[in-house]
Amino acid sequence: MESSQPEFGKIVVFGTGLIGGSFALALKEAGAVEEVVGFGRTPSTLRIAQQLGVIDRAGINPAHEIADADIVLVATPVAQMPEIFARITPYLGPNTLVTDGGSTKGDVVAAARAAFRGHIGKFVPAHPIAGAENSGPAAAQPDLYRGKKVVVTPLPENNDERLDRIKRAWAYCGADIYELTPEQHDRVFAAVSHLPHLLSFALVHDLAMRQDADLFFTFAASGFRDFTRIAASHPEMWRDICLANREALLGELDAYRLQLDALRVALAAANGERIEEIFGIARQARRDWAGGN
């Protein structure tokens, strides 16, 4: 989706790394934005973002940048979002919309309601389902969202015009747009995203803590590499995600432990038929999901 004339005058991005930076680059490449202003935790990061063309300039004070912004994207770890919401609330302009890139929605929506209060209709929650192990402005890619899913989790207070405007912003990035409720989102992603990360971190941590860890890593091959790729993800971000969605994640972890217990019982009993049955069901489900690959 390309724009002959920029639809957005100014976009403000809090967090100019992989998620926020890729959003900015994609809108720039599509010709959909005139100016991108970035906020971050360190001046050095913002300098790098500007040098790389991720942002046009660094913001200093939200009071000078928010009121005339078309969209404010908060693309920080979710634990930082409440403070940012509170900082920008007094300066929201009549046409300013706020969205986020958080991997959890229940906690983010609660924080937004507490901060925005009567302005909550201007907040349209979203979650881009795209990522990589690297972080920071250098990791930003203009095509990160191309052909990827972005889940929008509308609130009852979002009118159609505001919802469509946020959807169009993500569509300019090349994303496929889906809708879930915040509750549906957190239940689904606890199972298909948050639990896999938890398991991957746990396995690598287990091996790393062994006295002969080097021996194991020396002989680890493609299967280990594929399974543990996501253990290279940002620890702070995934700490926040796990804590924010802990109730749903605990439920999924308990269900997974039951699966492990069932396999352990079958293995201890040398019950190859049961092990093969479980593996077969999993294999078919994986092939169906991946189109036979």
Side-chain angles (χ1 to χ4, degrees):
M1 182 176 180
E2 293 188 358
S3 175
S4 57
Q5 190 170 354
E7 177 169 350
F8 307 111
K10 182 202 285 187
I11 300 290
V12 174
V13 177
F14 283 83
T16 58
L18 178 70
I19 299 301
S22 295
F23 181 78
L25 288 175
L27 289 178
K28 287 184 167 201
E29 188 174 85
V33 62
E34 293 180 3
E35 182 183 40
V36 177
V37 178
F39 283 86
R41 286 193 289 182
T42 63
S44 60
T45 297
L46 293 175
R47 280 197 298 271
I48 293 170
Q50 188 168 355
Q51 290 167 1
L52 294 173
V54 174
I55 62 175
D56 296 305
R57 58 185 177 86
I60 299 174
N61 188 337
H64 302 149
E65 305 293 354
I66 303 300
D68 62 342
D70 290 302
I71 293 177
V72 177
L73 171 67
V74 184
T76 63
V78 291
Q80 297 175 24
M81 291 185 184
E83 186 270 334
I84 293 172
F85 291 161
R87 283 171 60 199
I88 67 176
T89 295
Y91 312 114
L92 293 176
N95 299 315
T96 303
L97 297 181
V98 182
T99 189
D100 76 300
S103 295
T104 55
K105 293 274 78 79
D107 61 316
V108 172
V109 169
R113 289 192 179 282
F116 297 141
R117 299 181 181 272
H119 297 288
I120 189 62
K122 296 180 179 180
F123 177 66
V124 182
H127 175 201
I129 315 304
E133 298 77 52
N134 298 321
S135 58
Q141 313 165 36
D143 60 349
L144 180 69
Y145 303 118
R146 196 167 298 155
K148 303 293 177 59
K149 296 179 178 67
V150 169
V151 178
V152 179
T153 61
L155 306 179
E157 295 87 350
N158 296 145
N159 62 33
D160 290 343
E161 180 182 354
R162 289 168 174 168
L163 178 58
D164 288 346
R165 195 155 168 78
I166 293 300
K167 286 182 176 180
R168 287 199 304 276
W170 286 111
Y172 280 121
C173 298
D176 299 322
I177 316 300
Y178 293 79
E179 283 191 30
L180 293 173
T181 67
E183 295 76 17
Q184 287 173 326
H185 172 280
D186 286 355
R187 181 168 58 86
V188 168
F189 284 93
V192 301
S193 177
H194 308 162
L195 180 63
H197 278 80
L198 191 74
L199 299 177
S200 183
F201 281 123
L203 175 59
V204 177
H205 179 267
D206 173 45
L207 296 182
M209 293 297 101
R210 299 187 187 190
Q211 287 188 341
D212 53 352
D214 289 346
L215 178 65
F216 287 91
F217 288 121
T218 296
F219 291 99
S222 59
F224 180 83
R225 183 181 300 275
D226 291 344
F227 183 72
T228 62
R229 175 185 60 82
I230 51 179
S233 300
H234 199 294
E236 179 187 7
M237 181 181 76
W238 281 99
R239 174 203 67 193
D240 290 350
I241 290 169
C242 289
L243 291 174
N245 203 25
R246 62 186 178 277
E247 292 303 324
L249 183 54
L250 282 169
E252 294 300 330
L253 186 58
D254 288 343
Y256 190 78
R257 289 174 67 180
L258 290 175
Q259 289 289 318
L260 291 179
D261 288 343
L263 280 168
R264 192 186 191 288
V265 168
L267 188 61
N271 188 344
E273 183 178 351
R274 177 56 178 153
I275 293 172
E276 185 177 356
E277 178 188 9
I278 293 172
F279 287 0
I281 292 171
R283 177 178 184 268
Q284 188 59 52
R286 175 63 169 76
R287 288 174 65 86
D288 289 346
W289 169 73
N293 296 320

